[in-house]
Amino acid sequence: MNIQETASKLRDPDHPVDRIFVDRWSPRGFTQDPLPERVLNTFFEAARWAPSAFNSQPWRFVYALRGQSEFEAFLAPLIEFNQGWARHAAALIYLLSRKEFAPPGKTERLFSRTHSFDSGAAWANFANQATAAGWAAHGMSGFNLGRARRMLRVPEGFAVEIAIAVGRKSDGAGLPPGLLQREQPSGRSPVGDFVGRGFFPERFRS
């Protein structure tokens, strides 16, 4: 079974679902195609419409395009493993979230318990729109948080959530052999493993 056949088998949903959710995955091999900002803005537009508590919209995106002077500063906080492939991305992005919000009709800002959760919804919209447009977005937790805050000049009151590499997916030929073997979509646990009717199922503990 070749890589394409393996990927198809791993991405065969058990229940009817829109293909955008199945076709999205996180490659590490990118072409040298530049990412026009007008196209990138469509990904941000999708993120804009994500749901959030009290419509607080805590997500903030900062980005640098490959070739811009800021690109190396965005690359620097990544762990060495991620730097090796992410340097070829067309854009590097960091997703931040604002920790406080002002409830409707009030001016006093309160801590938002869902600032990370809400920003994750924006990231999902972003990634799916990128896939729909023929691009790929790879989210990363592998970076030095303190260095990212310093390099990006992130003020207090904002959390640095994830780094994102965006580019046009390649055939992976430029990747080292170890990564090339992993350059395919991964499967997912069946719905029954994470959904339970009624009280907390004992099987969730495993």
Side-chain angles (χ1 to χ4, degrees), residues 168-189:
R168 187 84 74 180
K169 188 175 76 67
S170 74
D171 59 6
L175 294 172
L179 283 185
L180 182 58
Q181 291 180 349
R182 298 166 56 183
E183 191 69 350
Q184 60 179 303
S186 56
R188 293 293 188 274
S189 301

Side-chain angles (χ1 to χ4, degrees), residues 58-60 96-100 109 112 115 119 157-159:
W59 46 83
R60 303 290 187 272
L96 320 174
S97 65
R98 188 163 191 167
K99 298 179 182 180
E100 296 183 339
R109 303 195 69 84
S112 172
H115 65 91
S119 296
F158 291 84

Side-chain angles (χ1 to χ4, degrees), residues 47 50-53 56-61 95-99 112 114-127 158-162 164:
S52 60
S56 57
Q57 304 169 57
W59 46 83
R60 303 290 187 272
F61 293 85
L95 170 58
L96 320 174
S97 65
R98 188 163 191 167
K99 298 179 182 180
S112 172
T114 62
H115 65 91
S116 291
F117 178 84
D118 295 341
S119 296
W123 148 244
N125 279 16
F126 178 101
F158 291 84
V160 183
E161 301 289 356
I162 61 168
I164 305 165

Side-chain angles (χ1 to χ4, degrees), residues 110-154:
L110 303 175
F111 175 73
S112 172
R113 186 173 61 83
T114 62
H115 65 91
S116 291
F117 178 84
D118 295 341
S119 296
W123 148 244
N125 279 16
F126 178 101
N128 285 327
Q129 180 60 40
T131 297
W135 295 78
H138 188 132
M140 296 170 278
S141 62
F143 61 91
N144 183 293
L145 182 58
R147 193 173 191 189
R149 296 193 70 90
R150 292 192 301 273
M151 298 294 289
L152 303 177
R153 306 172 187 174
V154 179

Side-chain angles (χ1 to χ4, degrees), residues 60-127:
R60 303 290 187 272
F61 293 85
V62 293
Y63 71 94
L65 300 176
R66 189 180 64 239
Q68 291 182 333
S69 58
E70 301 93 343
F71 191 83
E72 288 300 317
F74 277 60
L75 186 67
L78 301 182
I79 61 173
E80 184 177 356
F81 172 81
N82 285 336
Q83 284 188 19
W85 59 267
R87 67 176 60 255
H88 303 295
L92 289 177
I93 302 167
Y94 284 83
L95 170 58
L96 320 174
S97 65
R98 188 163 191 167
K99 298 179 182 180
E100 296 183 339
F101 76 108
K106 298 184 178 181
T107 57
E108 181 184 359
R109 303 195 69 84
L110 303 175
F111 175 73
S112 172
R113 186 173 61 83
T114 62
H115 65 91
S116 291
F117 178 84
D118 295 341
S119 296
W123 148 244
N125 279 16
F126 178 101

